[in-house]
Amino acid sequence: MATITSLTAHQLLDIAKDETKKLDSGEIFIVRDLFKGYEWNRIERKKRLLLGTLFLHECSGGNFKPISKTSSGQQKYQKL
């Protein structure tokens, strides 16, 4: 099994999308919430930024609605 650091941004996107299945309708989250804290911290910053962009473009038109940004600039989403 590959480590979190060896995965591509697209593979990380697949993990994030799978994790959203565990969320309840109406729940608000950021992409970081979809990973364990230590896993998120191990992903290099460049990949995290790309992952956020990919998630916004791929998921915001479907079951998720971007609602606002956090004070640190992370996009918040709401599951519909």
Side-chain angles (χ1 to χ4, degrees), residues 20 25-26 29 58-65 77-80:
T20 62
S25 181
F29 66 97
E58 187 160 323
C59 298
S60 62
N63 296 326
F64 308 101
K65 175 175 77 170
Y77 298 90
Q78 182 174 30
K79 184 171 181 178
L80 304 175

Side-chain angles (χ1 to χ4, degrees), residues 2-20:
T3 63
I4 198 86
T5 56
S6 66
L7 298 176
T8 67
H10 289 284
Q11 290 169 318
L12 294 168
L13 177 63
D14 290 339
I15 292 169
K17 290 190 319 188
D18 283 343
E19 285 296 311
T20 62

Side-chain angles (χ1 to χ4, degrees), residues 31-47:
V31 175
R32 178 184 189 139
D33 296 337
L34 303 174
F35 294 86
K36 294 177 183 169
Y38 66 89
E39 288 179 334
W40 182 257
N41 293 332
R42 291 178 183 169
I43 302 168
E44 63 182 288
R45 185 174 187 271
K46 183 171 81 172
K47 277 189 196 174

Side-chain angles (χ1 to χ4, degrees), residues 49-71:
L49 292 170
L50 178 56
L51 173 60
T53 302
L54 292 172
F55 192 89
L56 176 66
H57 289 295
E58 187 160 323
C59 298
S60 62
N63 296 326
F64 308 101
K65 175 175 77 170
I67 54 173
S68 64
K69 290 201 174 194
T70 65
S71 59

